[in-house]
Amino acid sequence: MLSAQRLIGLPVIDEKTGHRTGKVLDLWFDEHWSLRGFLLKARRWWFKRYYDAALWESVTACGSDAILISDKSAVKRLEAAEIGRTFHTGQIRLKDLPVITDEGRQLGRVSDVYFQGFQGTPITGFELTDGFVSDLIEGRKRLKIPADPELLKLGENAILVPARCEHDLEAFVTESG
């Protein structure tokens, strides 16, 4: 299983030439929670912000030390407006969004997201935090996405999940904790 936090900062390497095409700045998701690609770097041109992005379909290997892409032509320039959901820099950021049950109970805030390492993969789970002190005392929690992802609702200010998800929370200790 891959984690957004582990991928951010990794170099992106052109498989044909061995040249580094950038470093992962953020992960970009579509409206169906599927990974679209990696944002590499941001640039400003007058009043618009552009990102270089490597599409997920171009990834040939995603390891612990680097991400390989088919070639440098896989890197596209996108306007910030074209990028909706990201892990931590976009218009709708998954990081730090509260996860709330449909009964109004907050389960925590998104600290990390998990997905399988194959193309077009949707998010499979969230790592939730209740804050630094709580993380030290109790540890973080992991929430698996329900079998029917249609039950999740991603808003600009919260992620809504069915109340039964509260019973599926798994406590775990992160490597840093």
Side-chain angles (χ1 to χ4, degrees):
M1 193 169 350
L2 298 173
S3 144
Q5 294 280 17
R6 290 192 184 270
L7 297 177
I8 292 172
L10 288 181
V12 177
I13 309 292
D14 177 337
E15 183 179 60
K16 290 184 178 173
T17 65
H19 288 107
R20 180 176 156 174
T21 60
K23 187 167 71 170
V24 176
L25 172 70
D26 203 349
L27 282 72
W28 167 34
F29 299 94
D30 69 12
E31 68 277 4
H32 303 291
W33 299 85
S34 292
L35 183 63
R36 292 286 313 271
F38 303 105
L39 300 181
L40 302 180
K41 57 186 164 187
R43 296 183 188 158
R44 285 199 176 268
W45 181 252
W46 294 91
F47 294 106
K48 289 188 177 183
R49 178 178 275 175
Y50 294 93
Y51 288 92
D52 288 342
L55 299 177
W56 183 245
E57 298 88 49
S58 68
V59 173
T60 58
C62 195
S64 59
D65 298 317
I67 296 170
L68 301 179
I69 58 173
S70 55
D71 62 51
K72 68 180 179 183
S73 68
V75 176
K76 308 291 181 199
R77 176 141 313 142
L78 301 173
E79 286 186 33
E82 295 177 73
I83 302 165
R85 295 181 176 144
T86 65
F87 180 64
H88 72 89
T89 63
Q91 295 171 341
I92 301 173
R93 295 176 204 97
L94 294 175
K95 186 165 176 54
D96 294 326
L97 275 181
V99 176
I100 302 173
T101 69
D102 54 12
E103 293 178 345
R105 179 159 156 59
Q106 182 170 319
L107 302 180
R109 293 185 164 279
V110 174
S111 171
D112 204 350
V113 295
Y114 297 93
F115 49 93
Q116 296 296 326
F118 52 86
Q119 293 182 357
T121 182
I123 294 173
T124 58
F126 298 107
E127 182 177 311
L128 304 178
T129 180
D130 284 326
F132 180 72
V133 174
S134 179
D135 290 351
L136 287 175
I137 295 170
E138 300 171 11
R140 291 192 176 165
K141 298 171 275 194
R142 186 173 293 158
L143 175 66
K144 291 182 182 176
I145 299 291
D148 182 4
E150 295 295 318
L151 296 174
L152 294 175
K153 293 176 181 73
L154 174 65
E156 288 186 34
N157 303 108
I159 298 170
L160 301 178
V161 299
R164 71 174 188 264
C165 287
E166 185 172 3
H167 304 292
D168 297 333
L169 288 174
E170 301 172 1
F172 74 103
V173 177
T174 61
E175 288 181 9
S176 61

